[in-house]
Each structure stands twice: as C-alpha cells, then as structure tokens.
Amino acid sequence: MGDAAIPNRGRLPSILLARKPRFTDSRNDTTATAKSKDGYTMAVSFWMENPPDLSLFSIHCTKPPHDLSQNLNFSVRPRVVGADGPFVLLRACFYATSIHEYFLYKAGSPPSLDRIIPSPDELDDLSGVREWGILGHGGDGHYLLAALRDAPSSKSDDGHRVLAALRDGYQLRIYSSETKSWSTRTLHNPCPGLDRVIADKVITLGQEGLLAWVDLSHGLLVCDLLLHLQHQDPGPAGAAVSCFIPLPEPLPANR
C-alpha cells in the first residue's frame, strides 16, 4: 500500500500492511464504514508505522438492528486480498451468509469504504482467488479490480473433463467502479511450459495499465488490462496483451 496517511503524522510513501485485522472499536481519522448485503456495519481503521515496522488495520462490526443473536459477526476472518496506492481490497464472510463479500477501502480526506457489487452470476465464486489486482482508472478516484482464475473446465472429445487452463489459459474477471459492472476477458496462456501461475502478489508496472501476477516460484505473468478492456473478448489477434517473464535460473550452488 502506497501514499498512506498516518493519523496526525502526515503521509508515508509506502507501508508494510498486515493481512489480517485486529478487532477493536478504536477509531481515528482513517476510519471508514460500509454496510454488508445483510445490514452488518463494518468500520475499518488503519494504524500505520514507518517501515520496516508493520502497519495494522482494525475492524469493528455491528449487527443489523433486527439481529439479536449472540453469534459471531464473521464466519471467516476478514483479510486483505489486494492493495495498491491508496486502495486496499478486503474480503469478508459474515455469519448470516456463506457468501464472500468484497470491500474497497480508499485512503483520502475523507477515506471511503465501498461494498463491491457482486457478480450477477451466482455461480461466479471468486473466493479461491488469493490475490487481486487493483488499478486506478479514469480519474475521480475510480478503479478496476482484476481477478485471475483458471478458465472453466470443458469436455474433451472422449467425454472427460479437462482443465481449459492447460490449453487456453485463464479468465480475467474485471470490476469497474465507474460503471459498477463486471466483465470477462480471456487471457491466453503466455507460458505454455507452465501449467498455471499461482500468484503470491499482484503489482502494477508503470502508469500504462500493466498488471503483473508474481509467482515467486516461476516468474511474472504480465497483462495489459486497459488493452483488454478496449476490445471485446476474445482480444485482437496479435495484440500484445500478455506475456510471461520467467525468473532467472538458480545459481549452481542453489540448484
């Protein structure tokens, strides 16, 4: 997370942010709130320190007025699944439902916390996506969210199901805050010698709409997200919308 505000201490170029929250009702000038689908109110606050000290975030959640139960607020502990610049993406699963919900925090004066409108496809389960890409887009604080996942399974000629990711690549599920809508793009596999990329982190490269899914075991899968959005799926033939940058071979002593 970059360009982060510290309460009463100015701003920092970047921070090291914990992925899991602490639960407290303490607040500061970074606190922002949002409501879940079922009316839970979640307040998110950040407690930031100069690197290499770890910055923390906290959550305080209250039940909807009609819920008088003693159940926990969350069935799964919320966690950070993406961060870039002033944006932090949180995933939460509230006790009343087994559906994962996503909230986008944006640092600023004032800060904001927006619930991401879910995909209209009820079967579009993105809970297995460990790392999301976030790209500021279009001014006025708008952004794009990008989830990379295996292409859906399909049947081979002999009737057996095969992973399309081994043949065709991946699907990009993209959310636009400007249009408040989801879209899907096909990302053909730029590294056919590798079954799949498992991202440890997603980063932006420069200011031209490039995202990189970083697999620390193999390399970087780089995607031009804006170019993907400019064209209907599938993308134009020959367009350089993705590439794979392998990690260097280990030194002989480390092989």
Side-chain angles (χ1 to χ4, degrees):
M1 181 179 179
D3 197 25
I6 297 184
N8 304 317
R9 291 168 55 192
R11 305 185 71 86
L12 286 175
S14 62
I15 61 172
L16 297 175
L17 181 62
R19 285 187 175 273
K20 295 182 180 180
R22 295 186 175 184
F23 295 99
T24 174
D25 59 358
S26 298
R27 295 178 176 233
N28 57 32
D29 56 5
T30 70
T31 303
T33 62
K35 285 187 180 294
S36 74
K37 176 179 178 294
D38 292 318
Y40 287 81
T41 300
M42 185 170 71
V44 177
S45 307
F46 288 82
W47 311 88
M48 289 173 273
E49 300 292 340
N50 286 288
D53 291 339
L54 188 65
S55 296
L56 306 175
F57 74 101
S58 63
I59 288 178
H60 179 64
C61 186
T62 56
K63 293 180 174 63
H66 62 270
D67 188 345
L68 303 180
S69 71
Q70 298 300 312
N71 295 327
L72 298 174
N73 291 320
F74 299 101
S75 57
V76 178
R77 180 188 288 262
R79 64 176 288 126
V80 172
V81 292
D84 185 73
F87 303 110
V88 179
L89 183 64
L90 304 172
R91 178 163 58 209
C93 187
F94 296 89
Y95 189 87
T97 178
S98 59
I99 298 175
H100 288 84
E101 298 184 50
Y102 294 86
F103 297 84
L104 195 288
Y105 178 94
K106 184 175 71 172
S109 299
S112 62
L113 183 67
D114 297 326
R115 177 177 174 265
I116 303 301
I117 296 174
S119 167
D121 184 355
E122 295 182 356
L123 299 178
D124 191 12
D125 184 7
L126 298 172
S127 61
V129 178
R130 299 193 309 174
E131 287 290 325
W132 290 64
I134 307 175
L135 185 68
H137 177 62
D140 297 326
H142 287 298
Y143 53 86
L144 299 170
L145 303 179
L148 182 72
R149 67 179 185 180
D150 290 343
S153 298
S154 60
K155 285 187 178 181
S156 61
D157 294 338
D158 59 3
H160 292 90
R161 298 197 70 83
V162 297
L163 277 178
L166 300 179
R167 301 180 297 111
D168 300 326
Y170 306 90
Q171 268 191 350
L172 272 175
R173 296 290 286 132
I174 304 169
Y175 174 80
S176 168
S177 67
E178 189 169 14
T179 62
K180 291 183 168 50
S181 64
W182 290 85
S183 59
T184 302
R185 295 294 186 271
T186 300
L187 184 62
H188 294 291
N189 190 356
C191 45
L194 180 66
D195 285 348
R196 62 186 300 213
V197 168
I198 301 177
D200 296 288
K201 179 65 178 173
V202 185
I203 60 175
T204 56
L205 299 177
Q207 304 295 323
E208 303 301 325
L210 294 180
L211 288 178
W213 279 260
V214 183
D215 184 330
L216 294 176
S217 297
H218 299 98
L220 284 70
L221 193 161
V222 181
C223 169
D224 190 330
L225 192 63
L226 297 184
L227 187 57
H228 263 292
L229 286 177
Q230 290 172 9
H231 302 279
Q232 294 297 318
D233 203 37
V241 294
S242 63
C243 67
F244 182 70
I245 304 174
L247 293 178
E249 289 293 327
L251 294 172
N254 296 325
R255 291 176 182 170

